[in-house]
């Protein structure tokens, strides 16, 4: 037994120095331009002092209510919990695979009693024999001279790291989803308030038109046209009431539980504070640090490591079984002098003919790697497109809002003038109705444009990798003054 321990130490040392037959990994070149698109839709690029990924979400989402909702979602969202549990599972699976690199040492104790008939003993008398054993040993341990087990361990490690990146990507998406749901709720609440105000104002106008009709100053057509505006706004009140309820339900789902009532009070979009601008003047190379891109790269590395395991299958495999202990026919003599027993059983397995199985497995591993290269490149292209789309909206949304504000102002003036002309008998109510519809539509369009501007900021923050840094955690981890 004393000789077994140095043998195991020596074996482990040999394995630690073994390499693998996997190809040297080289990151594929990004199939996109180094710079973001330019043109009429894009703002001129400015020098960036940092990356969006370094901006803590508490700094970007400066609104206190939104910060509380995001904190609740990070603690309670079920999808994020599943992603975290997937990481724990992948980590455990990696530890299972990694354990194959080391010998498994087992201790056993057994007793065997056997009765042999007289015609088999040679003495003509039946005999009962006993054997007691206590052993410590290694069973079927593979000496990884060609790196098969190491390649499988590398593959499991990369799969675990890919799962961790998937969790980080899920967090980024969750933070943006909560923000967009909250902004949508605010916009729909604002549209509901607009519809309710329109019902009140148009009801007053309808009552005035009815009075004019009784006095003979308005026609029955004018009354019915005035009623159209009232009923249109009433229908919008019902529609936006349902939308606000649905928005609250959607927000409760992503947050992961009941939301305090004070966080759901109606808000105007202009009162929700977000970081005014984001540094987007950096190179597109920042995309390779996005969690979803890193996830695709780790998956590619796992496939690359699997090639090493497939190549190692062409070479001999050596397994070792060894044990040492004591054995005796009597329990009282089990640990007596001279009762030592040992077994050393090395075995080599040389592949000679397998019907092409090993070559087919290698071909599959190589094709899997090619597939994952294409997947990695597609992930970068998708990320580039997401950022480019967000930058295009960012470059044009201010002009859109300015035009929508001017349109709303003009439509409001037109409505007031048309209504005044109708009251003076200089114009028909049809012009009032058309002007009111234009004004109402312009007000709705302005709210929608403001929502687009804010959701575009959230999207740009997300696609550039923002949402992982927690200012609270960073402050807690920071060392105090000396």
């Amino acid at each position: 037994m004393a000789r077994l321990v140095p043998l195991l130490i020596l074996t482990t040392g040999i394995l630690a120095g073994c390499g693998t037959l996997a190809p040297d990994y080289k990151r594929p070149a990004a199939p996109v331009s180094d710079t973001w698109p330019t043109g009429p839709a894009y703002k001129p690029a400015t020098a960036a002092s940092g990356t969006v990924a370094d901006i803590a979400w508490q700094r970007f989402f400066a609104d206190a209510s939104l910060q509380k909702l995001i904190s609740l979602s990070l603690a309670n969202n079920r999808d994020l919990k599943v992603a975290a549990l997937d990481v724990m599972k992948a980590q455990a699976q990696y530890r299972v695979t990694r354990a194959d690199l080391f010998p498994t040492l087992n201790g056993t104790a057994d007793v065997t009693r056997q009765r042999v008939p007289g015609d088999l003993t040679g003495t003509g008398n039946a005999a009962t024999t006993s054997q007691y054993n206590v052993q410590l040993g290694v069973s079927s341990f593979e000496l990884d001279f060609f790196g098969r087990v190491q390649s499988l361990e590398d593959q499991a490690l990369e799969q675990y790291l890919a799962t961790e990146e998937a969790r980080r990507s899920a967090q980024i998406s969750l933070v943006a989803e909560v923000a967009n749901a909250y902004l949508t709720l605010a916009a729909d609440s604002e549209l509901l308030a607009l519809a309710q105000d329109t019902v009140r104002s148009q009801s007053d106008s309808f009552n005035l038109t009815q009075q004019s009709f009784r006095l003979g100053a308005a026609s029955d057509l004018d009354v019915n046209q005035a009623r159209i505006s009232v009923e249109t706004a009433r229908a919008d009140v019902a529609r936006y009431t349902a939308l606000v309820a649905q928005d609250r339900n959607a927000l409760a789902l992503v947050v992961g539980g009941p939301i305090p009532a004070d966080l759901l009070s109606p808000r105007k979009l202009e009162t929700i504070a977000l970081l005014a601008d984001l540094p987007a003047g950096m190179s597109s190379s920042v995309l390779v640090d996005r969690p979803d891109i890193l996830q695709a790269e780790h998956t590619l590395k796992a496939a690359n490591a699997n090639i090493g395991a497939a190549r190692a299958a062409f070479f001999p495999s050596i397994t070792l079984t060894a044990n040492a202990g004591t054995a005796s026919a009597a329990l009282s003599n089990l640990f007596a002098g001279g009762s030592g027993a040992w077994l050393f059983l090395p075995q080599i397995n040389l592949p000679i003919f397998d019907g092409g199985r090993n070559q087919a497995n290698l071909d599959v591993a190589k094709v899997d790697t090619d597939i994952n290269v294409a997947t990695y490149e597609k992930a970068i292209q998708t990320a580039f497109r997401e950022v480019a789309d967000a930058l295009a909206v960012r470059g044009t949304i201010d002009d859109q809002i300015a035009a929508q504000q001017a349109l709303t102002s003009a439509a409001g003036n037109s409505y007031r003038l048309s209504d005044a002309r109708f009251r003076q008998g200089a114009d028909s109510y049809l012009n009032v109705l058309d002007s009111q519809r234009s004004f109402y539509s312009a007000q709705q369009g302005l709210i929608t444009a403001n929502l687009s501007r804010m959701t575009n900021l959230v999207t740009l923050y997300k696609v550039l990798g923002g949402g992982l840094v927690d200012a609270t955690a960073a402050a807690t981890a920071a060392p105090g003054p000396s």
Side-chain angles (χ1 to χ4, degrees), residues 37-108:
T38 57
Y42 301 95
K43 288 182 177 180
T46 57
S49 58
T51 63
V52 173
D54 295 330
I55 300 176
W57 59 261
Q58 289 95 336
R59 180 187 167 202
F60 180 79
F61 300 107
D63 184 82
S65 297
L66 184 51
Q67 287 182 356
K68 292 178 182 178
L69 288 172
I70 292 175
S71 295
L72 287 172
S73 70
L74 293 177
N76 300 319
N77 182 267
R78 299 309 188 270
D79 290 335
L80 191 61
K81 285 187 176 181
V82 170
L85 291 172
D86 285 339
V87 173
M88 296 174 62
K89 177 182 176 181
Q91 186 185 50
Q93 290 173 333
Y94 163 66
R95 294 201 307 267
V96 170
T97 304
R98 186 174 183 271
D100 290 337
L101 288 172
F102 305 96
T104 301
L105 191 63
N106 294 314
T108 61

Side-chain angles (χ1 to χ4, degrees), residues 112-135:
T112 303
R113 291 182 61 82
Q114 181 180 13
R115 181 183 183 279
V116 181
D119 58 350
L120 296 179
T121 60
T123 63
N125 297 320
T128 301
T129 61
S130 300
Q131 181 176 347
Y132 299 88
N133 295 282
V134 175
Q135 296 178 341

Side-chain angles (χ1 to χ4, degrees), residues 323-380:
N323 61 62
T326 65
S328 175
L331 181 60
S332 58
N333 296 327
L334 185 59
F335 296 100
S339 62
W342 58 268
L343 171 69
F344 181 69
L345 180 63
Q347 183 178 12
I348 183 169
N349 181 19
L350 179 64
I352 297 176
F353 176 76
D354 60 5
R357 180 182 291 106
N358 286 341
Q359 183 60 51
N361 286 333
L362 179 58
D363 292 342
V364 169
K366 289 181 177 179
V367 172
D368 278 343
T369 301
D370 292 339
I371 291 173
N372 281 284
V373 168
T375 302
Y376 172 75
E377 293 174 342
K378 177 63 180 298
I380 292 180

